[in-house]
Amino acid sequence: MPVKKGDFIRLDYTGRIQETNEVFDTTNQEIAEKEEIITEGKVYGAIPIVVGVGHILPALDDAVEGMEAEEEKTVEISPENGFGKRDPNLFQMVPMREFKKQGIKPQVGMAITSEGHTGIIRTVSGGRVTVDFNHELAGKNLEYQVKVEEIIEDDTEKVKAMIELHYPNPNLDPEKHTIRVEDGKAVIYMDEMAKFDQQKSYMDITMARFRIARDIYDNMDNVSKVEFVDVFEKKEEATEEEEVPEKLPEEEVVEEKLPEEREDQ
């Protein structure tokens, strides 16, 4: 059955820059290790997405539509359909004193963040630093090798897929999520370990849950409401029964009689 917009699928891909054949992103751990682009903590493997909702580049979304499960395809993407052309207006000259105020020694290739935007330092000359705020892949012709690993049909697996996409955590076991889809509602009990996730802020968790919920009710016709349930249950402490020592047999008391005193004769 061909993939269509709104389908839940698992997608494998490897992206390369055509001009250099350099791999910049992949879902395959072996390729990531070989190309030395492994990301610590990243969970590798086919990623779950909903087709046509912006989880991947629009050009990739278009290419995936019509593919069959286990089908592979090579997709070429121009800068216009990828990360855009390089914009000269996104090069900024920053005085060296601004870096000194932050205790930063600027170096070529260093990534910095300013007002929520990430830029790369291109030149350091005298009292000026040139920072490029273009996307690192802007102006590049790209090539993706993609494979539709699976078209997800089961409602419970669709919900688990969105948890995996928006709440990636190698410590969570998808098999320990409890999902109920009934009466127009999806009720989600996540793996107990999610309650003790100290790597994410409260806001991060809230936004992740919102994204999960939105993708579910926007793309599952039988769901209009999503509930996340956290249960904290008092656990009864196991009380060990007091061990009663076995009653030892009563000691046999031997009464010794002293010899009677002899009467004086």
Side-chain angles (χ1 to χ4, degrees), residues 25-261:
D25 193 15
T26 182
T27 57
N28 187 304
Q29 185 167 348
E30 289 185 8
I31 293 176
E33 290 173 348
K34 180 181 177 181
E35 300 291 333
E36 298 182 347
I37 59 168
I38 198 82
T39 301
E40 186 177 352
K42 179 178 177 177
V43 179
Y44 285 88
I47 62 167
I49 66 164
V50 180
V51 178
V53 302
H55 291 160
I56 54 178
L57 286 172
L60 278 181
D61 261 331
D62 292 342
V64 166
E65 284 192 56
M67 292 178 68
E68 301 278 352
E70 299 188 2
E71 183 181 348
E72 296 184 49
K73 179 188 285 188
T74 298
V75 184
E76 296 184 354
I77 301 177
S78 65
E80 293 84 354
N81 294 321
F83 294 91
K85 293 183 177 181
R86 297 186 70 77
D87 183 352
N89 295 320
L90 293 179
F91 284 82
Q92 294 185 11
M93 301 295 292
V94 182
M96 179 69 77
R97 64 175 178 273
E98 295 299 325
F99 290 92
K100 290 182 178 180
K101 288 179 183 178
Q102 303 295 326
I104 299 173
K105 183 178 180 181
Q107 297 179 347
V108 174
M110 178 186 291
I112 66 167
T113 301
S114 175
E115 297 179 354
H117 300 286
T118 299
I120 303 296
I121 294 176
R122 298 301 183 191
T123 63
V124 179
S125 178
R128 294 182 176 181
V129 178
T130 305
V131 183
D132 178 6
F133 286 97
N134 282 283
H135 189 282
E136 60 181 340
L137 295 173
K140 307 291 186 182
N141 291 293
L142 309 177
E143 180 182 287
Y144 281 87
Q145 188 69 31
V146 299
K147 180 181 180 182
V148 177
E149 288 287 351
E150 177 189 5
I151 300 174
I152 303 171
E153 302 288 353
D154 182 75
D155 284 345
T156 296
E157 293 305 314
K158 288 179 180 179
V159 174
K160 287 183 178 181
M162 291 303 96
I163 295 173
E164 181 182 339
L165 175 66
H166 294 299
Y167 201 113
N169 186 327
N171 296 322
L172 299 186
D173 182 355
E175 296 304 316
K176 292 184 178 178
H177 300 321
T178 300
I179 314 293
R180 293 204 314 268
V181 179
E182 55 189 12
D183 300 326
K185 182 168 62 175
V187 182
I188 302 172
Y189 297 78
M190 290 179 65
D191 177 4
E192 289 280 322
M193 293 301 295
K195 299 175 186 175
F196 310 103
D197 188 351
Q198 298 182 350
Q199 298 177 355
K200 294 180 174 62
S201 68
Y202 176 79
M203 182 57 69
D204 288 339
I205 293 172
T206 301
M207 289 305 299
R209 289 186 172 190
F210 167 72
R211 294 186 186 103
I212 293 166
R214 180 185 58 192
D215 280 341
I216 291 170
Y217 58 61
D218 278 354
N219 298 286
M220 292 176 64
D221 293 336
N222 57 336
V223 175
S224 59
K225 183 178 182 180
V226 177
E227 290 182 358
F228 288 86
V229 181
D230 290 326
V231 177
F232 295 88
E233 185 176 359
K234 179 180 179 181
K235 296 186 182 295
E236 296 293 337
E237 294 184 4
T239 56
E240 296 183 2
E241 293 183 3
E242 293 184 3
E243 294 185 2
V244 180
E246 294 182 6
K247 187 175 182 182
L248 296 174
E250 291 184 4
E251 290 183 2
E252 192 174 335
V253 178
V254 178
E255 195 176 87
E256 288 190 2
K257 289 186 179 182
L258 292 175
E260 294 181 1
E261 292 183 359

